[in-house]
Amino acid sequence: MRDTGEAGGDGDKSSKDQSWIPKLIKKRICTTFVEDSFSNGALCQCGGTRDSHASVALGDYFSTAIVNHWDSAQHSSEYPTDAFGELQFAGSSKRHSYFLRMSWDTPPSMVYTLMTTHWGLPAPNLVVSVLGGEGRTKVKTWVREVLRQGLVKASQSTGAWILTAGLREGVGRCVGEAVRDHATAASSISLNKVVALGVTSWGLVHNRQQLVNPEGSFPAKYFVQNTARDLCCLDNNYQAFLLVDDGSVGRRGGETTFRAKLEDYISHQRTGIWGSGSIDIPVLCMLVSGEANLLERVDLSLKNSMPWLVLAGSGGTADFLNDVLENLSSAPVQSSGEGDSEAGPSVDLKDRVAERVKKYFPHEVETDKLVERALSIYQNRDLITIYHGEQEGPNDFDTVLLKALVGASKQRASVNHSPYNEELKLAVTWNRVDIAKSELFNGDIQWRYEDLEDSMTDALINDKPQFVRLFTENGLNILEYLTYGRLESLYRSVADGTLLYQLLQRRLVERLGTAATPSLVQDSNNKGTVANLQSGPVSELSLFEVSGVLELLMGDVCQPFYFEALGLEQSTSKRRALRRASKLLRGDCLYRERRCLFPWASLFVWAILQNRSEMATLFWEMAGESVLSALSGCKMLRELSKLEVETETKLSMKELAQRFENLAHDVFSSCYRSNESRSFTLLIRKSPVWGGTTCLQMGMSADARLFFSHDGVQSLLSQIWWGDMKRNTEVWKLLLTFFCPILCYTNLISFREEDQQHDEEGKPNEEGMGRDSDSLYGTTIFSFSDIKHIEADAQTPITPRTATIKGINYSPRPPKRPFIVSRWRQFWFAPVTSFLGNVLMYFLFLLLFAYVLLVDFKPPPPAGPAITEYVLYFWVFTIVCEEIRETFFLGTMTLRQRVRVYIQDVWNKCDLAAIILFVIGLICRMFDWTYGFGREALCVDYMVFTLRLIHIFAIHKQLGPKIIIVGKMMKDVFFFLFFLGVWLMAYGVANQALIYSYDPRLDRIFRRVFYRPYLHIFGQIPVEEMDVGKDWDMPCTSNVTLIQAGEEPCRTMYSNWLVVILLVIYLLVTNILLINLLIAMFSYTFSEVQANSDIYWKFQRYNLIVQYHSRPSLAPPFIILSHINLFIKRNIRKVPSVKIHHFVLQLRGKAANKLTTWETIQKEDFLTAQNKIQKSSDSERLKRMSVKVDGVVKHLTETRDFDHRLRALESEMEYCSNALTWIVDTLAQSSTFRPPRPPPTLRDAFPTTSA
């Protein structure tokens, strides 16, 4: 329910929003005074006094004389209502309630729309209308418990509306208190699930004049008083009040007609979001005691097929109906005979009913009408459920409600439908999976797909994952269920106001070319306003908009989703794809009838985009590629959290993203423990489900640092980093071999022999499966040179490894390269060799740069530059060529995507800045007038190039984490500089103004205001200048003209004492306070980051390995040779690139299926282990113990009931025994009858045996 406190605070806005109410909703006023014969002419039959009637009502004496009975329809008139808005109970801190005074013939559709749209009441999944129990009669204790523990608790679990009179008396008061207590104890999420709605007569409400305001009350203050006997106050525990006005005053029953119409109207509305449920809203009338006039109401509702639940033992009409339905059920219903052809109850049945009418209603005069009503009710007895609450207890009341509604729905169900369909739909609507499991899915019923289809849609839209799991386990085929059209309908059901709805609408507006947004309510003077109070989701939504949202969230890490289903090409530009999609969606859209290619993954994305935790976890368990799916969910949630505005939703998205990252980490751990080789293949396998991406690419894009810190991922990265060399190779051996390449043919560096690899591949395992069990997954642990050539089968021969990876039957071994070539490639093509060469050459580049700047920087042409400077220019040119290659000629993305990805990296920005500065310095140093500026630019550029070394050393295990800590501390330094800058400016300006009264030179002002106070922090304090007690050797003048000419001004003597005080305060704050604050910030950052620095370093290590894996083996400046070679291969020989698909492995056919199956088995083993851990937890043990204790208590209660019944039976038997004894004695003493033998003697029931 909407927080009415906020609405009440803005009275003008609320009044404007509801100003249409008096134009459409009316009240009734008595316009004909019909004299009440018992009041001597003082009262009208409407209950009002003569003085309260208008002169028109009193003037029509002729009509008054001939009227015997006052009727609301004839003797009252409608006027615009003058009581509506919000209601605040005096002395209560609860939220405001809503109220409305209206005529009894107001259309219920208008009122229902008002309640759900303007008042914000949640649409009900169930409506329970409680009748009877009104007035000052005391409610029985067990009835109070049924209402409290049974009705309200069951309603809370189902999301129900409870309709009562809403007055502080009888059953209405009990329901209000129960709703209040349950709302207090419930969580904030389920706080407003139960809506208590009061429907009573306007003339019955005490202090109703406090509610009258023709403009609406926002809020109206209402004082609760229980003074008058016939007038009752409203109960402050109700959320809304419908005050039905029939023109009467102090008379009960004026709301009966409207209440019945409202119940009937609600029963024809659909449940769920936007009416998306599979059933109409179930409405159940509940009878508690009641007077005789309720029989007419019961009869009318039964004729409209409205189910009733009667509380037997509560008294009044409820006990009467219980007696009639249970004790007369054996009486036949036959023709009354004597030529009467119409079927009717027998005379004997009428007599029995008449007897019970006299018994239960002895003071009623018109017993014949009551008998007819009772007989009519008896004929519709299938819609009535009798509940013996005093015997059964309130614990299973929700099951009683469900069975009562199901029993009634079975009477209305068609022949073609299963009789259990309605029960299933109700269980789904109420989210009672326990009832569904125990009653419907216990193995006795064979469910068909058609029976579960609608309920599945209801469970998906209304977020009921337990039912989705139940349906899939009991016959629902998800491949048959989920078509692209149904997937679109699921996205159309997204609630408005959510982030996903806004993103989809934005994409839809782009496609439709309009910026119009649907308005919920338009202010109008006609009655068509009410028809527009609800606006559903836009029906034009398609998978193209969904694909656009996913592209926004996933970025360039994968190909667009659903393009294949829409018939769009993957490489199509955005504008062309938009035009083609618009043209396609204007047609027949035949793709909507096709089955979804990956149904569980599509549902997983749908749940993730709506931040549905349990539903997304369920679909993740069902979907394949569990590691990649979890990382994809993590990526989408983290991107959504950046767009989300609501803080609570943002936090829940981040928590769910972290949960999925943990799932990916744990499942991969299980895979890594099972088989190291297969787990490596899993990381680089190209996924057809997630747009051709891999686990490593998705993990990097999702910022999954915990996943990258896993030993398996790091082992794979280390293997790629070292290539075919062993990972324990010392660095000095690499350096020595780098300078003396001939050493690579010796045993200085250990390489894995290919023959050993093939032998290991061909070894049978312990299970006797032979090579087929492992080799089909690819042995990626050994050499990654094969992976780079998989995409170019035409250019390279098929190796045993690539053959097994692709599922190709391979028998002969390909010809091996010569030892000299293969060993040379193994050493120089390893990423670690490329990295080492780049580091060494970069140090030489920095030495050359420093030499040029310090020693050999010649004047502009023609005197310079020197030869070394030209070498430097060429060196930088090769670096620029490599940056261009990495940006524009690497990867399969579009040019725009490549540039965006390049700019996103911080170190690429650093490279770009260094190159731009070098170009500026190079151009400027060629001219005399900019020579100095050019040299300065090159000097600064040298600093930028040198700082680039930080990124190079990020691969080091000890330096890498420290670099991350330094990066984090830089943020602390900026915060420190902010505080320091404030004190610098404050002290510097004051100090300069106090020492020198006049000094117009800006260079001296800048130095003395900012630079000199900064040096004070490090102890450089010019005491002679600042303290007038010291001698200052600087010549100065007080002549303003000379000072303006540039002379040094003299110091001001009279304010020097203040300068010293300010210096002391400044040094105290900066050297003690701020410096220690900075140290404390550094300590906190270090302690916080140190624990996770290893995780951060392992995460960043991936980027460096990818970079050097894709780089040519030669380093600048010799890299130009590699560039020329690449140019010849790509543009002249037309040889496609193999490194463009770095870290990607394409699996097809049997190999892909086996890997997916193996991953699924590992996921199931992990989930089984998690379930065992959860079941063994203390909370689960307590739950099981609680269930057992409840069962024991239930059995004890049943035993107590059996004991009561046995005692009653014993008393009856004792009475029968005494009666028979009396008969026997009487017959024995009688002289008229002589028995042939004496009466039998009494035997012991339990004879004792003698010892």
Side-chain angles (χ1 to χ4, degrees), residues 36-171:
D36 187 359
S37 59
F38 297 99
S39 63
N40 296 325
L43 297 177
C44 174
Q45 290 186 16
C46 70
T49 62
R50 182 181 292 271
D51 297 337
S52 63
H53 285 69
S55 58
V56 178
L58 300 175
D60 193 0
Y61 298 106
F62 177 75
S63 61
T64 303
I66 62 175
V67 172
N68 295 324
H69 179 70
W70 184 85
D71 182 62
S72 175
Q74 298 180 6
H75 304 136
S76 64
S77 300
E78 290 186 344
Y79 296 90
T81 184
D82 57 359
F84 62 93
E86 298 170 4
L87 183 63
Q88 180 183 10
F89 289 89
S92 175
S93 60
K94 292 182 176 294
R95 295 179 176 183
H96 297 172
S97 302
Y98 299 96
F99 73 98
L100 175 67
R101 177 186 182 184
M102 59 184 178
S103 174
W104 58 268
D105 57 352
T106 303
S109 59
M110 187 184 301
V111 178
Y112 181 77
T113 306
L114 171 70
M115 290 190 293
T116 55
T117 303
H118 280 278
W119 291 357
L121 302 182
N125 292 323
L126 167 70
V127 174
V128 179
S129 181
V130 184
L131 292 99
E134 300 176 356
R136 302 286 176 172
T137 57
K138 186 176 180 181
V139 181
K140 295 181 179 181
T141 304
W142 70 266
V143 175
R144 190 185 298 270
E145 287 301 315
V146 166
L147 294 175
R148 180 186 181 86
Q149 298 295 333
L151 175 62
V152 177
K153 189 175 181 180
S155 302
Q156 194 173 36
S157 65
T158 57
W161 286 8
I162 302 179
L163 270 63
T164 69
L167 302 175
R168 291 176 59 86
E169 62 175 16
V171 172

Side-chain angles (χ1 to χ4, degrees), residues 167-187:
L167 302 175
R168 291 176 59 86
E169 62 175 16
V171 172
R173 184 166 189 167
C174 296
V175 171
E177 292 173 352
V179 170
R180 176 199 62 197
D181 295 341
H182 278 279
T184 303
S187 62

Side-chain angles (χ1 to χ4, degrees), residues 293-344:
N293 56 2
L294 278 178
L295 289 176
E296 181 181 1
R297 170 66 197 281
V298 174
D299 185 29
L300 292 176
S301 296
L302 289 175
K303 290 179 180 178
N304 291 329
S305 300
M306 192 75 67
W308 279 77
L309 179 67
V310 177
L311 261 63
S314 59
T317 307
D319 289 354
F320 168 73
L321 291 178
N322 174 48
D323 192 358
V324 169
L325 297 178
E326 290 193 351
N327 297 329
L328 302 183
S329 59
S330 59
V333 180
Q334 58 188 14
S335 176
S336 58
E338 299 181 4
D340 190 1
S341 61
E342 296 181 0

Side-chain angles (χ1 to χ4, degrees), residues 528-544:
T529 305
V530 181
N532 297 325
L533 288 177
Q534 289 181 326
S535 64
V538 179
S539 59
E540 291 86 356
L541 197 65
S542 67
L543 288 180
F544 183 74

Side-chain angles (χ1 to χ4, degrees), residues 45 187 368 494 553 644 648 699 773 781 1063 1073 1086 1100:
Q45 290 186 16
S187 62
D368 293 338
V494 175
L553 299 178
E644 182 59 56
E648 187 176 352
S773 62
I781 187 174
L1063 176 63
L1073 180 62
F1086 182 85
Q1100 292 183 351

Side-chain angles (χ1 to χ4, degrees), residues 488 492 508 511-512 540-545 566 578-589 591-592:
E488 286 183 350
R492 292 190 193 107
L508 181 62
R511 180 168 65 85
L512 298 179
E540 291 86 356
L541 197 65
S542 67
L543 288 180
F544 183 74
E545 285 73 46
L566 294 169
L578 185 62
R579 289 199 299 266
R580 291 192 61 183
S582 301
K583 182 179 180 181
L584 172 68
L585 294 172
R586 284 195 296 266
D588 297 333
C589 300
Y591 73 92
R592 291 175 177 168

Side-chain angles (χ1 to χ4, degrees), residues 253-513:
E255 78 285 357
T256 303
T257 304
F258 172 79
R259 185 169 174 177
K261 290 181 179 179
L262 180 63
E263 293 165 0
D264 183 66
Y265 175 80
I266 295 177
S267 67
H268 291 85
Q269 305 306 305
R270 305 291 274 185
T271 58
I273 303 171
W274 297 109
S276 58
S278 58
I279 62 170
D280 294 334
I281 298 175
V283 178
L284 177 69
C285 296
M286 180 174 171
L287 181 60
V288 182
S289 65
E291 301 295 335
N293 56 2
L294 278 178
L295 289 176
E296 181 181 1
R297 170 66 197 281
V298 174
D299 185 29
L300 292 176
S301 296
L302 289 175
K303 290 179 180 178
N304 291 329
S305 300
M306 192 75 67
W308 279 77
L309 179 67
V310 177
L311 261 63
S314 59
T317 307
D319 289 354
F320 168 73
L321 291 178
N322 174 48
D323 192 358
V324 169
L325 297 178
E326 290 193 351
N327 297 329
L328 302 183
S329 59
S330 59
V333 180
Q334 58 188 14
S335 176
S336 58
E338 299 181 4
D340 190 1
S341 61
E342 296 181 0
S346 64
V347 178
D348 181 53
L349 185 60
K350 285 185 177 180
D351 294 339
R352 292 185 181 184
V353 172
E355 290 178 5
R356 282 163 174 77
V357 168
K358 293 179 181 178
K359 175 182 177 181
Y360 287 96
F361 309 111
H363 301 294
E364 291 294 330
V365 179
E366 299 179 349
T367 57
D368 293 338
K369 290 185 177 180
L370 296 180
V371 170
E372 294 296 329
R373 294 289 184 189
L375 291 174
S376 178
I377 292 171
Y378 182 77
Q379 291 179 350
N380 294 315
R381 59 187 177 275
D382 293 331
L383 295 173
I384 299 178
T385 302
I386 304 297
Y387 176 66
H388 300 275
E390 194 171 7
Q391 299 175 4
E392 299 179 22
N395 293 329
D396 299 329
F397 193 76
D398 47 3
T399 309
V400 174
L401 291 179
L402 180 63
K403 291 184 176 180
L405 291 168
V406 169
S409 63
K410 286 180 181 178
Q411 304 299 322
R412 303 192 297 263
S414 62
V415 180
N416 297 329
H417 287 77
S418 170
Y420 300 99
N421 277 355
E422 293 298 326
E423 187 172 358
L424 175 61
K425 291 177 180 179
L426 285 173
V428 173
T429 302
W430 294 5
N431 200 19
R432 295 304 304 269
V433 70
D434 52 341
I435 296 178
K437 286 182 178 179
S438 60
E439 300 289 336
L440 302 175
F441 293 93
N442 52 11
D444 298 336
I445 306 171
Q446 295 296 326
W447 292 97
R448 300 173 301 173
Y449 168 77
E450 294 79 9
D451 300 332
L452 302 177
E453 187 176 6
D454 292 339
S455 297
M456 179 70 169
T457 305
D458 190 358
L460 285 172
I461 293 176
N462 295 294
D463 195 16
K464 296 166 183 175
Q466 293 178 332
F467 273 101
V468 176
R469 185 190 296 274
L470 188 65
F471 294 151
T472 54
E473 292 173 353
N474 289 273
L476 188 135
N477 185 4
I478 194 65
L479 291 173
E480 185 178 354
Y481 171 79
L482 192 66
T483 61
Y484 287 115
R486 180 166 273 134
L487 184 61
E488 286 183 350
S489 67
L490 291 177
Y491 278 102
R492 292 190 193 107
S493 67
V494 175
D496 57 345
T498 60
L499 176 61
L500 176 58
Y501 181 85
Q502 297 172 3
L503 294 176
L504 290 173
Q505 291 300 307
R506 200 173 302 164
R507 296 289 174 175
L508 181 62
V509 167
E510 290 180 6
R511 180 168 65 85
L512 298 179

